[in-house]
């Protein structure tokens, strides 16, 4: 396979932009490079060697298959296909059998992954996906005999069942080694652990042809003391039709496929999940009702049906991704904006921070702050889902305007274990709501009646929820008039009220400080930014009085920041519980932090008097590296219980002077607001994966998605990334690239065009769907500048200003936007 993007380093793979795929050319990537399957409740994580697992809605409570995190070898457990021919066996997905293949590739595409392998003339292609609106993974396996002789290939599928509750599954062995139960009927293996009691759901693994045998007991399949790389069943070619009782139930089909020279045949495997009404659970004594499984698997029992479903999925994605496309002079920028960033945004929408290669799926629910922020990455693609998500979040808000920090996806109720008091949480809902309305024009979201704390007897309009959010800040100010930080603000590791000396307690839930002293400048900037947004919203719906009184609070905060949070060359970060400055030149470590520079500048604080510009210059001087902008400098070198978890990390990692990619776009945006297009682009491209293809060895994580963190200058390996996929980095960079670099910004009045680009970009084409119309925008930059005045023509007619009024247009229109000094 030739790499179309010749400038890239092909060591591990390359981008195939035409097919919206990343093609991985070796099973031995620096870390497992994963993809996500599923769109609507049923999800799978799948690595480039088919490792990973699937679950229904909640990766902790409804996990179908077992996966061993942080195990050896890494990436342990998946949907494996063992192929055996002429006494040699291998894996159709490259691993776990370590046999050298003649050919291997894994194409991660939009909602599917395809694995091609070939050994001794037997070629295989596994296509894995979760069809739309389906609670099942489909794995179609096509085998081709490229030799000149007839060959019989023994095929063994393999998955290992998780006993539903993933946490218990990995811990409570005294019970769960005795509970496992399966049933087998024809070519379908049913997993029914705990179905006899309180579970009204089971899972199954089927194949669309007669099997030669099967195994459901792990020990029988693998053989004692063997790993997934050399199952005794595969080695011997003998299956014993074991029926698991307790221990570790698995599902493995054994099929014999005879292939004439040149012949291809396909098998379709369906790994599905069924819920059954309690009264219909059984079809006989301890015999489960199989009708739902039969109905589900019969939807995919021919190649034609599978191809049709895959086509639907492809169309779904092409349609979603076509709502915003760009053709700039930089292919990497285009690839990021058009394909992978939007795709990652959708995945973070679906998963929040719950399940990835780094998030074990047992800890964290849907985060209030994270999920609100995530919506700015996909409001243009799935606005109706954004509305639903915002209202779900709103329903976990408490009456005082604070919020549960997380909610559980199955119940949509606030997670009492984590609780609230992360004082940045409330205002993120103003961002998500305003962004949603600007995208859609749908003000009706404000009138929706929403419970507080999921209590149907205590409700108010969503607008009132926003009002409470605003007032939560106003009602929780500290000694300087800055917002109290609570347990933490955006930076979960700046725990100014925790004072923990006990390694057994969580920084996230422990609080010792009186919490009426420590203040956050990040929340102050956030309040000015989204407080102003709330004021605008009030005005839009005719609540002028409220707007005026809110504006006073916002203006006061702006002044308070200037008075108490300006350190001479940058904004301080916080006041701790003793009232001392954090993030100040007075400190010896942690003198400067990124968050307050980004949030104060984005809020426009100091735009008028040079403070914002100076703060950006300080960021460049103290925090910028080749790999992105560090969170703070100098790094903390020892633990300080008054500062919290941030000082628990070794210098250069995570929140302690790592390049925490989520906040880098705040600087990109600030630079764009200041009109410094080259700086904005530089910061954007330093952390955007499409630009990092050439440093994959160092970067380690997937070159097609953002990672949460890249090690900073103080680390052992600066530039090494971790925590790929589920990060607010995705939404924020997309927002920065589209609304601030390209400057295509939805506003209440319409689509505004106000770019801040590289001076060298003389011509950029953008396609944007907006409120029912489609705009083909040509951005011209004849004077080679970054930012300037915009003159607009719509279908050849000049219009006044730089905003396209959606009321005037439907259908398709050609816009020419010309930038000039
Ligand atoms: C991580 C943070 C995360 C927090 C909450 C900390 O250990 O460093 O990035 O937000 O846990 O789960
Ligand atoms: C990751 C968390 O998901 C997010 O909520 C937080 O803002 C960042 N870490 C920074 O601590």
């Amino acid at each position: 396979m030739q790499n179309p993007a010749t400038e890239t380093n092909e060591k591990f793979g390359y981008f195939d932009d035409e097919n919206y795929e990343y093609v991985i050319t070796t099973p031995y990537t620096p870390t497992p490079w994963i993809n996500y399957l599923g769109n609507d409740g049923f999800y799978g994580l799948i690595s480039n060697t088919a490792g990973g697992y699937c679950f229904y809605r909640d990766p902790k409570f409804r996990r179908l298959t077992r996966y061993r995190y942080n195990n050896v070898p890494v990436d342990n457990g998946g949907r494996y296909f063992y192929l055996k021919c002429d006494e040699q066996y291998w894996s159709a997905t490259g691993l776990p059998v370590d046999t050298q293949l003649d050919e291997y590739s894994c194409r991660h595409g939009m909602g599917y992954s395809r694995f091609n392998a070939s050994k001794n003339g037997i070629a295989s292609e596994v296509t894995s996906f979760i069809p739309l609106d389906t609670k099942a993974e489909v794995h179609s396996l096509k085998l081709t005999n490229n030799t000149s002789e007839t060959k019989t290939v023994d095929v063994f599928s393999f998955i290992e069942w998780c006993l539903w509750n993933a946490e218990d599954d990995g811990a409570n062995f005294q019970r769960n080694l005795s509970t496992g139960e399966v049933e087998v009927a024809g070519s379908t293996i049913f997993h029914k652990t705990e179905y006899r009691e309180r579970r009204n759901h089971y899972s199954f693994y089927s194949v669309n042809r007669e099997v030669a045998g099967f195994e459901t007991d792990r020990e029988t399949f693998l053989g004692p003391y063997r790993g997934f790389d050399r199952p005794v069943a595969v080695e011997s070619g003998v299956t014993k039709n074991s029926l698991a009782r307790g221990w570790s139930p698995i599902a493995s089909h054994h099929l014999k496929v005879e292939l004439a020279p040149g012949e291809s045949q396909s098998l379709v495997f369906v790994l599905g999940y069924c819920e059954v009404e309690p009264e219909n659970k059984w079809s006989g004594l301890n015999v489960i009702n199989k009708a739902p499984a039969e109905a589900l698997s019969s939807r995919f029992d021919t190649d034609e049906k599978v191809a049709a479903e895959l086509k639907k999925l492809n169309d779904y994605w092409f349609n979603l991704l076509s709502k915003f496309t760009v053709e700039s002079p930089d292919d990497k920028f285009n690839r990021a904006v058009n394909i992978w960033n939007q795709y990652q945004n959708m995945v973070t929408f679906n998963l929040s921070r719950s399940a990835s290669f780094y998030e074990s799926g047992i800890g964290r629910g849907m985060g209030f702050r994270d999920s609100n922020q995530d919506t700015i990455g996909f409001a243009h693609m799935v606005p109706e889902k954004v509305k639903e998500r915002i209202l779900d979040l709103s329903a976990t808000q408490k009456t005082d305007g604070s919020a549960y920090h997380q909610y559980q996806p199955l119940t949509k109720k606030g997670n009492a274990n984590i609780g609230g008091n992360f004082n940045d949480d409330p205002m993120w809902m103003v961002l998500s709501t305003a962004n949603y309305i600007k995208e859609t024009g749908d003000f009706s979201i404000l009138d929706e009646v929403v419970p507080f704390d999921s209590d149907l007897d205590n409700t108010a309009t969503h607008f009132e929820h926003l009002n409470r959010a605003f007032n939560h800040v106003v009602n929780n100010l500290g000694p300087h008039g800055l917002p109290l930080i609570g347990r933490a603000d955006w930076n979960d590791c700046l725990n100014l009220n925790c004072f923990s000396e006990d390694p057994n307690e969580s920084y996230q839930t422990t609080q010792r400080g009186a919490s009426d002293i420590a203040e956050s400048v990040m929340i102050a900037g956030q309040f000015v930014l989204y407080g102003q947004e709330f004021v605008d919203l009030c005005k839009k719906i005719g609540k002028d009085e409220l707007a005026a009184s809110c504006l006073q609070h916002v203006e006061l905060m702006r002044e308070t920041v200037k008075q108490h949070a300006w350190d001479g060359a940058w904004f301080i970060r916080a006041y701790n519980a003793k009232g001392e400055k954090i993030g100040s030149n007075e400190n010896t470590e942690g003198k400067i932090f990124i968050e307050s520079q980004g949030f104060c500048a984005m809020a426009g604080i100091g735009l008028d008097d040079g403070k914002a510009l100076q703060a950006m210059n300080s960021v460049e001087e103290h925090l910028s590296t080749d790999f992105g902008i560090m969170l703070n400098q100098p790094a903390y070198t020892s633990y300080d219980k008054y500062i919290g978890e941030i000082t628990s990390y070794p210098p250069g990692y995570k929140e302690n002077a790592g390049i925490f990619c989520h906040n880098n776009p705040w600087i990109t945006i600030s630079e764009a607001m200041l009109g410094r297009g080259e700086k904005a682009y530089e910061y954007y491209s330093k952390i955007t994966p499409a630009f990092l293809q050439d440093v994959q060895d160092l970067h380690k994580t997937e070159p097609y998605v953002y990672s949460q963190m890249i090690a900073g200058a103080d680390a052992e390996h600066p530039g090494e990334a971790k925590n790929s996929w589920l990060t607010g980095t995705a939404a924020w960079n997309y927002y920065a690239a589209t609304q601030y670099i390209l400057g295509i910004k939805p506003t209440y009045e319409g689509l505004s065009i106000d770019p801040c680009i590289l001076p060298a970009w003389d011509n950029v084409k953008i396609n944007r769907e907006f409120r029912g119309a489609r705009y083909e925008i040509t951005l011209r930059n004849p004077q080679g500048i970054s930012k300037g005045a915009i003159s607009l023509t719509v279908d050849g007619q000049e219009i006044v200003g730089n905003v396209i009024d959606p009321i005037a247009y439907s259908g398709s229109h050609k816009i020419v936007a010309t930038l000039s000094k």
Side-chain angles (χ1 to χ4, degrees):
M1 187 68 71
Q2 278 304 302
N3 180 355
T6 45
E7 82 275 18
T8 59
N9 163 353
E10 263 190 72
K11 188 158 181 199
F12 305 108
Y14 59 91
F15 288 96
D16 177 351
D17 290 343
E18 211 173 298
N19 291 304
Y20 290 16
E21 288 174 342
Y22 190 86
V23 188
I24 302 168
T25 48
T26 168
Y28 308 100
T29 44
T31 56
W33 285 0
I34 73 166
N35 192 13
Y36 283 86
L37 313 178
N39 295 289
D40 220 1
F42 192 81
Y43 300 109
L45 290 73
I46 190 159
S47 73
N48 55 312
T49 58
Y53 57 95
C54 57
F55 61 92
Y56 178 59
R57 286 181 62 187
D58 190 316
K60 175 175 172 183
F61 289 112
R62 289 280 193 290
R63 193 174 299 191
L64 269 76
T65 55
R66 193 174 273 172
Y67 186 70
R68 292 168 179 75
Y69 273 94
N70 201 8
N71 218 288
V72 272
V74 78
D75 197 18
N76 214 296
R79 319 77 177 151
Y80 297 145
F81 294 100
Y82 299 89
L83 306 179
K84 186 177 189 196
C85 185
D86 297 336
E87 290 312 306
Q88 198 168 16
Y89 65 90
W90 64 94
S91 282
T93 55
L95 285 171
V97 182
D98 208 6
T99 306
Q100 182 71 40
L101 298 174
D102 301 332
E103 266 178 57
Y104 160 90
S105 72
C106 162
R107 292 179 166 260
H108 282 324
M110 306 287 108
Y112 67 88
S113 293
R114 179 169 290 134
F115 305 86
N116 285 90
S118 153
K119 182 77 189 166
N120 302 342
I122 303 296
S124 61
E125 178 170 285
V126 179
T127 305
S128 302
F129 69 110
I130 294 176
L132 295 175
D133 298 319
T134 302
K135 299 184 185 75
E137 285 188 0
V138 172
H139 303 276
S140 95
L141 166 63
K142 182 172 160 201
L143 292 170
T144 305
N145 177 2
N146 290 323
T147 74
S148 50
E149 295 157 40
T150 295
K151 296 279 182 191
T152 299
V153 183
D154 281 85
V155 177
F156 301 84
S157 69
F158 174 87
I159 56 109
E160 184 176 7
W161 300 114
C162 176
L163 306 187
W164 298 113
N165 178 336
E167 188 172 39
D168 201 65
D169 185 67
N172 190 6
F173 303 108
Q174 63 80 24
R175 168 178 162 85
N176 64 32
L177 293 181
S178 293
T179 52
E181 285 191 287
V182 298
E183 261 180 58
V184 180
S187 299
T188 306
I189 297 164
F190 296 85
H191 177 226
K192 60 172 189 176
T193 300
E194 292 185 347
Y195 190 74
R196 62 170 58 247
E197 28 130 344
R198 295 158 297 171
R199 291 192 184 277
N200 302 325
H201 46 261
Y202 62 78
S203 49
F204 69 89
Y205 199 27
S206 68
V207 58
N208 64 343
R209 72 158 80 180
E210 211 172 298
V211 294
F214 61 85
E215 299 297 3
T216 69
D217 173 57
R218 191 181 75 199
E219 185 91 340
T220 313
F221 179 75
L222 290 181
Y225 297 99
R226 285 174 178 241
F228 298 132
D229 57 334
R230 70 198 168 104
V232 76
V234 178
E235 203 171 88
S236 65
V238 177
T239 34
K240 298 182 176 159
N241 301 349
S242 57
L243 284 174
R245 292 290 176 260
W247 301 111
S248 294
I250 61 155
S252 173
H253 307 92
H254 178 198
L255 301 114
K256 284 189 177 292
V257 181
E258 194 179 280
L259 296 163
E263 189 189 357
S264 294
Q265 287 187 37
S266 327
L267 308 167
V268 185
F269 296 84
V270 179
L271 172 56
Y273 169 85
C274 298
E275 288 184 345
V276 194
E277 295 290 309
E279 56 280 15
N280 295 324
K281 277 176 75 166
W282 305 103
S283 65
L285 182 64
N286 287 332
V287 179
I288 62 180
N289 175 356
K290 303 189 176 65
E294 280 156 14
L296 181 47
S297 56
S298 71
R299 286 181 48 210
F300 312 104
D301 56 6
T302 66
D303 294 348
E304 292 69 33
K305 289 185 191 172
V306 171
E309 287 292 342
L310 192 57
K311 164 106 182 29
K312 271 199 231 163
L313 183 69
N314 291 337
D315 291 349
Y316 166 84
W317 276 108
F318 288 141
N319 175 41
L320 268 189
L321 302 188
S322 70
K323 296 185 191 297
F324 194 131
T325 60
V326 57
E327 250 178 83
S328 78
D330 189 341
D331 284 347
K332 292 174 180 166
F333 182 81
N334 303 343
R335 169 183 293 156
V337 172
N338 295 340
I339 307 175
W340 292 98
N341 198 165
Q342 296 199 85
Y343 182 56
Q344 187 177 4
N345 291 346
M346 287 303 297
V347 172
T348 48
F349 161 64
N350 288 331
L351 281 291
S352 194
R353 304 295 174 273
S354 61
S356 73
F357 185 68
Y358 306 85
E359 304 277 9
S360 61
I362 58 177
R364 301 167 71 186
M366 310 291 286
F368 190 90
R369 78 154 80 90
D370 290 335
S371 294
N372 271 304
Q373 289 173 79
D374 288 348
T375 64
I376 63 175
F378 49 81
H380 66 295
M381 289 191 275
V382 285
E384 55 310 319
K385 290 189 177 180
V386 169
K387 185 174 189 175
E388 188 188 335
R389 174 64 53 85
I390 293 173
L391 295 173
D392 283 348
L393 290 161
S394 188
T396 65
Q397 192 191 36
K398 302 181 187 184
T399 41
D400 69 353
S402 66
Y404 282 101
H405 196 47
Q406 295 173 359
Y407 73 86
Q408 295 308 127
L410 267 182
T411 60
K412 294 192 174 175
K413 292 223 163 91
N415 181 348
N417 294 338
I418 303 286
N421 294 341
F422 291 82
N423 283 350
D424 65 312
D425 271 339
M427 289 304 278
W428 294 116
M429 203 156 69
V430 177
L431 164 68
S432 61
T433 305
N435 186 69
Y436 165 78
I437 300 175
K438 289 176 186 172
E439 179 67 42
T440 58
D442 172 21
F443 283 90
S444 77
I445 187 174
L446 298 174
D447 303 326
E448 297 279 347
V449 176
V450 186
F452 289 104
D453 202 352
S454 308
D455 176 1
L456 293 173
D457 294 328
N458 183 11
T459 62
T461 61
H462 180 60
F463 178 80
E464 176 55 21
H465 283 252
L466 298 183
N467 193 24
R468 302 264 177 115
F470 184 94
N471 282 311
H472 187 266
V473 180
V474 175
N475 295 334
N476 288 279
L477 300 178
H480 299 90
L482 294 164
L484 291 169
I485 197 166
R487 286 207 200 152
D489 60 22
W490 172 87
N491 188 334
D492 275 339
C493 297
L494 197 59
N495 313 117
L496 303 181
N497 293 309
C498 176
F499 315 160
S500 182
E501 285 177 306
D502 176 357
N504 298 323
E505 62 191 16
S506 154
Y507 291 107
Q508 303 298 318
T509 51
T510 306
Q511 190 159 332
R512 291 204 173 74
S515 78
D516 57 356
I517 303 279
E519 297 166 301
S520 160
V521 178
M522 182 263 149
I523 303 180
Q526 184 202 29
F527 178 74
V528 174
L529 180 57
Y530 303 135
Q532 180 64 54
E533 200 67 83
F534 184 65
V535 169
D536 292 349
L537 200 54
C538 291
K539 284 194 200 145
K540 274 278 144 203
I541 59 171
K543 293 193 187 292
D544 292 337
E545 255 175 59
L546 184 59
S549 76
C550 289
L551 187 58
Q552 286 180 359
H553 291 292
V554 171
E555 290 308 329
L556 180 60
M557 187 64 75
R558 196 186 290 277
E559 288 314 308
T560 307
V561 170
K562 285 190 179 177
Q563 201 184 334
H564 293 295
W566 181 250
D567 203 47
W570 59 79
F571 296 99
I572 65 163
R573 179 64 178 83
Y575 285 96
N576 71 10
K578 298 181 221 161
E580 299 159 348
K581 288 179 187 166
I582 302 281
S584 155
N585 212 12
E586 288 172 12
N587 305 119
T588 48
E589 294 179 340
K591 281 170 176 286
I592 174 169
F593 280 68
I594 192 171
E595 302 98 323
S596 39
Q597 317 318 319
F599 259 91
C600 292
M602 286 197 296
I605 304 174
L607 274 186
D608 49 347
D609 59 9
K611 288 192 171 66
L613 184 67
Q614 206 178 347
M616 289 306 110
N617 290 341
S618 298
V619 166
E620 185 175 15
E621 185 183 340
H622 300 286
L623 300 177
S624 180
T625 75
D626 288 350
F627 304 108
I629 311 165
M630 294 178 288
L631 192 147
N632 59 299
Q633 274 295 302
Y636 292 104
T637 51
S638 51
Y639 180 61
D640 181 340
K641 70 172 180 177
Y642 296 108
I643 308 181
E645 185 172 355
I646 182 169
T647 64
S648 77
Y649 285 115
Y653 295 96
K654 292 278 278 181
E655 279 89 343
N656 187 15
I659 295 156
F660 212 93
C661 301
H662 183 142
N663 52 41
N664 278 222
W666 302 344
I667 304 301
T668 306
I669 291 172
S670 302
E671 289 289 2
M673 287 171 62
L674 289 165
R676 301 204 290 191
E678 281 160 304
K679 282 263 139 287
Y681 202 76
E682 179 192 328
Y683 290 138
Y684 170 79
S685 51
K686 273 182 180 168
I687 60 161
T688 292
F691 294 79
L692 303 176
Q693 168 82 354
D694 294 340
V695 291
Q696 290 176 358
D697 266 326
L698 170 66
H699 187 70
K700 281 203 159 113
T701 53
E702 294 89 332
Y704 40 90
V705 287
Y706 286 99
S707 292
Q708 181 206 61
M709 198 269 310
I710 299 174
D714 304 278
E716 187 63 24
H717 300 291
E720 182 186 78
K722 287 190 191 114
N723 290 19
S724 54
W725 278 103
L726 303 183
T727 160
T729 313
W732 272 103
N733 273 291
Y734 187 74
Y735 185 72
T738 55
Q739 299 206 15
Y740 290 87
I741 294 178
L742 294 175
I744 309 293
K745 202 170 178 26
T747 67
Y748 296 120
E749 288 70 36
L751 198 59
S752 125
I753 305 186
D754 181 20
C756 182
I757 52 176
L758 285 179
W761 285 10
D762 54 351
N763 198 302
V764 183
K765 285 209 155 72
I766 295 145
N767 270 295
R768 175 61 151 104
E769 271 183 31
F770 183 67
R771 302 202 205 162
R774 192 164 179 89
Y775 301 102
E776 228 179 83
I777 304 166
T778 304
L779 179 62
R780 293 203 177 128
N781 182 16
Q783 298 169 344
I785 57 176
S786 282
K787 203 176 176 77
I790 278 284
S791 52
L792 278 188
T793 64
V794 180
D795 302 324
Q797 301 284 309
E798 257 180 55
I799 61 164
V800 181
N802 66 337
V803 179
I804 306 164
D805 177 0
I807 305 206
Y809 306 102
S810 60
S812 294
H813 299 278
K814 287 199 179 345
I815 313 286
V816 177
T818 310
L819 194 57
S820 63
K821 281 181 193 151

